[in-house]
């Protein structure tokens, strides 16, 4: 990374909407002059979603360091940066990390039939299986006494991710560590470089639905994605497959999903989002034992542009030093 001579580095925050965050953070970073419009000689640049292409770089001849807020740098023209010798770094964002953690939590919980297992232990279901509690030792245990048929390992399973933004890239990294195979569907596939970075390969939507053991929905809710997963799409999934939705409820046809779950046409679902929130008590989803329901907690403890920009600025200062 470029080292500085002690002068303040003019740092352009490229995306719109960061003006208040820049004003709040300016005094915390005395070695940087934060601007939201090109001003004088810009030495550093931070971007979240704004495109950083060759034309922009030509307008910033003094630029020596660029940083991406987030891990997926598909909006950066990397060959253009490399050609100009511009240093590059990225800073993962808190928001996508939080949602990716929940998606993986739901996958793991479904793989261990965790909610049903907890309820069986808590209610003493062993009594209905003719079992009696006995003192355990290293070799004497009541292994798998519930006989949960849904319990399995995720290693070797295929995770199909619908949408491949920041959340999905964070999820793919985590799933890969667990030994899962990642495939994804996106209107514009990632570059080979990014596919390698996130250990994920592109697949058409129908193919993804047919091959996946877990399908995770992670696209924005727009007119185009309204009920994009309906009866036809659910019919393509394996009977042993699970659906996870950490995006928005309206992306699924909830009634079609309920039918598929009731009829065991798919194995189960992990849902953090619903068509109506909070989920109405009369929803059939509340009575199913192959579903894990969450009260829209994917965002974790929450985040703001200020929190995420601060992380990027700290990373930038460390890189410059």
């Amino acid at each position: 990374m470029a080292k500085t001579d002690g002068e303040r580095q003019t740092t352009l925050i490229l995306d719109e909407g960061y003006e208040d965050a820049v004003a709040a953070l300016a005094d915390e970073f005395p070695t940087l002059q934060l601007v939201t419009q090109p001003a004088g000689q810009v030495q550093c640049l931070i971007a979240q979603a704004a495109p950083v292409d060759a034309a922009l770089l030509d307008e910033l001849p003094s630029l020596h360091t660029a940083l991406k807020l987030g891990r997926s740098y598909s909006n950066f023209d990397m060959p253009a940066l490399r050609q100009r010798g511009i240093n590059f770094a990225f800073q993962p964002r808190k928001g996508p990390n939080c949602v990716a953690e929940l998606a993986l939590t739901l996958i793991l919980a479904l793989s261990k039939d965790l909610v049903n297992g907890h309820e069986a232990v808590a209610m003493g279901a062993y009594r209905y299986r003719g079992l009696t509690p006995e003192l355990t030792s290293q070799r004497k245990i009541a292994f798998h006494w519930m006989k949960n048929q849904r319990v399995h390992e995720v290693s070797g399973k295929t995770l199909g991710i619908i949408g491949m933004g920041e959340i999905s890239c964070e999820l793919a990294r985590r799933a890969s560590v667990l030994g899962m195979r990642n495939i994804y569907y996106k209107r514009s596939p990632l570059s080979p470089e990014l596919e390698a970075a996130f250990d994920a390969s592109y697949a058409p939507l129908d193919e993804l639905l047919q091959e996946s053991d877990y399908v995770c929905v992670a696209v924005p809710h727009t007119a185009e994605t309204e009920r994009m997963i309906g009866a036809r799409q659910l019919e393509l999934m394996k009977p042993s497959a699970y659906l996870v939705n950490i995006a928005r409820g309206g992306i699924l046809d909830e009634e079609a999903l309920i039918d598929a779950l009731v009829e065991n046409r798919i194995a189960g679902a992990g849902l953090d989002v619903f068509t109506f929130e909070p989920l109405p008590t009369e929803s059939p989803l509340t009575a199913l034992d192959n579903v894990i329901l969450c009260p829209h907690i994917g965002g974790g403890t929450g985040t703001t542009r200020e929190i995420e920009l601060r992380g990027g600025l700290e990373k930038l200062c460390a890189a410059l030093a």
Side-chain angles (χ1 to χ4, degrees):
M1 280 301 192
K3 292 189 177 182
T4 69
D5 58 6
E7 295 181 0
R8 297 179 73 194
Q9 299 287 294
T10 300
T11 301
L12 173 62
I13 314 304
L14 194 57
D15 294 75
E16 296 181 356
Y18 278 87
E19 293 79 8
D20 290 344
V22 166
L25 295 172
D27 292 341
E28 291 187 30
F29 298 90
T31 61
L32 305 176
Q33 180 185 357
L34 306 182
V35 298
T36 56
Q37 297 292 333
Q41 292 187 332
V42 172
Q43 287 98 20
C44 305
L45 176 150
I46 295 179
Q48 178 189 324
V52 179
D53 54 21
L56 174 66
L57 297 177
D58 287 342
E59 297 176 7
L60 306 173
S62 299
L63 187 72
H64 57 66
T65 303
L67 182 139
K68 156 73 180 184
L69 273 184
R71 199 182 296 271
S72 177
Y73 48 90
S74 58
N75 55 316
F76 280 71
D77 185 338
M78 297 306 293
L81 263 67
R82 293 174 180 135
Q83 182 182 20
R84 291 162 175 77
I86 296 172
N87 298 300
F88 176 74
F90 61 81
Q91 173 63 24
R93 294 167 51 215
K94 180 185 177 187
N97 284 355
C98 292
V99 184
E101 284 184 8
L102 177 63
L104 187 58
T105 298
L106 289 170
I107 290 170
L108 292 173
L110 288 165
S111 77
K112 301 300 177 275
D113 202 13
L114 198 60
V115 172
N116 288 321
H118 167 82
E119 291 180 350
V121 174
M123 69 181 292
Y126 66 85
R127 295 171 296 175
Y128 310 114
R129 295 181 177 274
L131 301 174
T132 301
E134 297 182 12
L135 181 65
T136 63
S137 67
Q138 175 62 23
R139 295 186 177 277
K140 184 180 180 182
I141 56 174
F143 175 69
H144 216 326
W145 63 261
M146 255 289 289
K147 309 295 183 187
N148 308 59
Q149 296 302 306
R150 299 189 186 110
V151 173
H152 61 275
E153 291 73 46
V154 299
S155 179
K157 301 295 187 183
T158 295
L159 170 60
I161 306 174
I162 301 175
M164 199 64 183
E166 293 287 350
I167 293 169
S168 301
C169 291
E170 294 293 351
L171 173 59
R173 289 181 65 252
R174 291 159 171 77
S176 181
V177 171
L178 293 176
M180 301 187 80
R181 168 190 175 228
N182 298 314
I183 58 177
Y184 73 93
Y185 168 74
K186 188 176 186 291
R187 287 180 301 177
S188 301
L190 299 177
S191 67
E193 179 177 332
L194 282 173
E195 288 191 345
F198 299 116
D199 194 19
S201 57
Y202 173 82
L205 181 57
D206 284 4
E207 181 180 315
L208 178 149
L209 293 167
Q210 291 169 332
E211 291 188 15
S212 297
D213 300 295
Y214 286 86
V215 174
C216 183
V217 179
V219 294
H221 186 185
T222 65
E224 185 178 359
T225 62
E226 173 77 20
R227 295 195 174 195
M228 73 176 291
I229 304 299
R232 190 188 78 81
Q233 289 73 27
L234 292 166
E235 286 289 346
L236 294 174
M237 292 176 62
K238 301 176 183 178
S240 59
Y242 295 82
L243 181 71
V244 172
N245 188 9
I246 41 76
R248 292 292 184 269
I251 300 167
L252 301 184
D253 181 336
E254 207 166 89
E255 293 181 359
L257 175 62
I258 291 169
D259 289 343
L261 291 166
V262 169
E263 297 169 10
N264 291 308
R265 286 187 276 112
I266 63 173
L271 307 172
D272 187 42
V273 292
F274 307 94
T275 304
F276 290 90
E277 295 182 3
L279 181 68
T281 56
E282 62 271 18
S283 169
L285 289 170
T286 63
L288 299 177
D289 68 356
N290 56 349
V291 180
I292 296 177
L293 309 174
C294 296
H296 204 141
I297 56 174
T301 55
T303 190
T304 63
R305 284 192 169 95
E306 183 177 331
I307 289 172
E308 296 191 344
L309 181 58
R310 178 183 286 110
L313 293 170
E314 290 171 347
K315 180 65 170 284
L316 177 61
C317 288
L320 293 174

